[in-house]
Amino acid sequence: MDRVNATTPSASSADDPARAAFAALRTPEGAQLLAELRDHDPADELATATRLRRTHPAELVSAALGQARLRQRAVAKFGAEDAYRMYFTPNGVEQATRTSVAAHRAARFAGLGVRSVADLCCGIGGDAIALARAGIAVLAVDRDPLTAEVARANAEALGLGELIEVRCADVTEIDTAPYDAVFVDPARRGGRGRIFDPEAYSPPLSWATAAALKAPRAALKIAPGIPHEAIGPEAEAEWISDGGDVKEAVLWYGEGFAPGAFRATLLPSGATLSAPAPLPAPPVGPVGRYLYEPDGAVIRAHLVADLVERCGGRLVDETIAYITSDEPYSSPYVAGYEITDELPFNMKRLKALLRERQIGVLTVKKRGSAVEPEELRRRMKLSGPGSATVFLTRVAGAPTMLIGHPLG
């Protein structure tokens, strides 16, 4: 089996029901249906479908309802203004880069003077759109005919058709030499769900890395959980979080990047933390007055030791990414808490303490504990005007409960 792409381009949309349905959506009748379905409630879909089929072909109604659902899902990644003008496939919504992350990546390219990019495995065009909006000309390549048509439609719908050329082709056959940079976004989902082995990506990580190293500059999108040992020394590795959630990792190659460096970038602020190489293991010690929870991108990038050094603190356990200190520390890379109580793990003692403090709202955070937050809250039977945060973790290897409240 061809591991780079499983789909062979077909001669025309007439041979492919999915492409024929998509073509129908781009007719005036299809556009009218999509506009009418913009704010429809999926719970009323059966009644809506019955009503629309009285005046429209059943196949078109089904396609429009499916596209309306995808657009509603896409709002979280693309925003309402773009999502309701764009077109999507189920895989496209799932795998597309959210706009904030794509814009960050495009800005890094643009800041280095990149004016043209070969976007390999472009999907429905999310990254191509961000690159074009940064003033970069894009060759967007995907071997799946429907996906390529959707990417082309999205470029046109957003007024970027002159900057984005979409080509339906095998990415391994593309000559990238004429372009300032290459961007590769391998498929990380298969028929059985998410793929964890980088060599099972489509195309495999080894092929994508080789393609990146041939270009003057390149970016390779990978899963944020990739083992560090799978990252070659030629790459600068960046983990990106948005609103506190880790979204992806990207490997950067070529002039203007720092081979071997690790970086954590937080969106929407753009704050970025980097180190030229892995740091020594940080010290471990008793819980102080303050506890800090590093952003997930910092943890994934193995930069917790850098924050420990900056705040003059220590870890509460050598295997747990909670930092503690005796003095307050402010940083965009951590959420800070003042700790009022440290208890050995004991549900009854925690319940008694929360009742005594009249805690009615409890935020539960855990790291190194098997207890589920919802189950803990249910067992506490909370009531009262107060609020608190409890950390279920380990301190020097022992199951521990830390109670406190956010700083600021």
Side-chain angles (χ1 to χ4, degrees):
M1 176 181 291
D2 180 4
R3 293 178 65 186
V4 173
N5 236 308
T7 304
T8 301
S10 58
S12 72
S13 62
D15 303 322
D16 185 340
R19 292 173 68 196
F22 177 64
L25 289 177
R26 301 194 68 203
T27 65
E29 185 179 10
Q32 177 191 340
L33 266 178
L34 287 174
E36 184 176 341
L37 290 169
R38 171 175 172 139
D39 298 317
H40 94 288
D41 185 349
D44 299 330
E45 192 161 295
L46 180 59
T48 301
T50 301
R51 175 177 57 82
L52 292 175
R53 283 170 181 161
R54 297 187 188 119
T55 52
H56 301 281
E59 295 83 359
L60 179 58
V61 171
S62 295
L65 284 167
Q67 189 62 222
R69 288 194 300 271
L70 293 175
R71 285 181 166 183
Q72 289 179 350
R73 286 173 55 193
V75 168
K77 285 188 174 182
F78 292 90
E81 184 177 352
D82 282 352
Y84 286 112
R85 291 189 289 166
M86 293 171 66
Y87 299 90
F88 301 94
T89 64
N91 284 340
V93 170
E94 185 70 31
Q95 298 185 29
T97 305
R98 66 176 48 225
T99 295
S100 56
V101 178
H104 162 73
R105 186 161 41 233
R108 287 201 77 182
F109 270 140
L112 291 170
V114 170
R115 309 312 303 160
S116 62
V117 170
D119 178 0
L120 308 182
C121 310
C122 68
I124 54 94
D127 279 281
I129 289 166
L131 289 164
R133 283 176 168 167
I136 298 171
V138 185
L139 170 66
V141 184
D142 202 286
R143 192 175 179 183
D144 178 61
L146 174 60
T147 302
E149 288 182 14
V150 171
R152 187 175 296 110
N154 287 336
E156 294 172 1
L158 299 179
L160 300 168
E162 292 188 1
L163 280 171
I164 301 175
E165 174 195 347
V166 179
R167 191 179 302 174
C168 184
D170 187 326
V171 298
T172 63
E173 298 174 357
I174 298 298
D175 178 14
T176 61
Y179 298 89
D180 295 342
V182 168
F183 172 63
V184 190
D185 181 6
R188 294 178 301 283
R189 285 185 177 272
R192 297 183 179 179
R194 194 178 299 276
I195 296 171
F196 296 97
D197 177 8
E199 283 306 297
Y201 292 173
S202 179
L205 180 61
S206 56
W207 181 91
T209 301
L213 290 171
K214 293 177 184 176
R217 295 184 178 91
L220 170 54
K221 178 179 171 180
I222 55 174
I226 188 171
H228 278 221
E229 56 268 22
I231 299 171
E234 309 90 350
E236 174 190 308
E238 180 181 27
W239 281 260
I240 303 169
S241 68
D242 190 5
D245 295 328
V246 181
K247 296 302 178 184
E248 68 175 61
V250 59
L251 305 182
W252 298 95
Y253 299 85
E255 186 179 351
F257 305 112
F262 298 134
R263 178 184 298 272
T265 298
L266 282 54
L267 301 177
S269 71
T272 188
L273 180 70
S274 64
L279 298 171
V284 179
V287 177
R289 181 175 176 181
Y290 301 97
L291 189 78
Y292 306 100
E293 181 181 31
D295 184 272
V298 172
I299 296 172
R300 293 283 194 178
H302 294 187
L303 294 174
V304 173
D306 186 88
L307 291 180
V308 172
E309 185 176 279
R310 287 170 182 245
C311 75
R314 54 203 175 266
L315 297 181
V316 301
D317 184 279
E318 64 180 359
T319 64
I320 303 294
Y322 281 141
I323 303 170
T324 188
S325 71
D326 303 310
E327 301 294 333
Y329 172 70
S330 178
S331 165
Y333 307 107
V334 298
Y337 299 83
E338 184 172 9
I339 298 303
T340 57
D341 301 270
E342 177 182 355
L343 305 170
F345 182 82
N346 185 296
M347 288 285 201
K348 289 184 177 179
R349 288 187 64 181
L350 178 61
K351 184 176 181 179
L353 185 147
L354 297 177
R355 181 178 297 171
E356 176 186 334
R357 305 261 174 92
Q358 296 185 311
I359 300 299
V361 178
L362 184 67
T363 300
V364 182
K365 293 179 172 288
K366 67 169 193 168
R367 198 163 279 164
S369 172
V371 177
E372 290 300 324
E374 288 303 322
E375 172 64 13
L376 183 140
R377 272 190 288 264
R378 186 187 65 80
R379 292 178 62 177
M380 292 300 101
K381 298 181 179 178
L382 302 167
S383 66
S387 62
T389 301
V390 61
F391 295 86
L392 306 177
T393 187
R394 293 193 302 271
V395 173
T400 303
M401 303 181 298
L402 304 175
I403 298 93
H405 54 82
L407 291 175

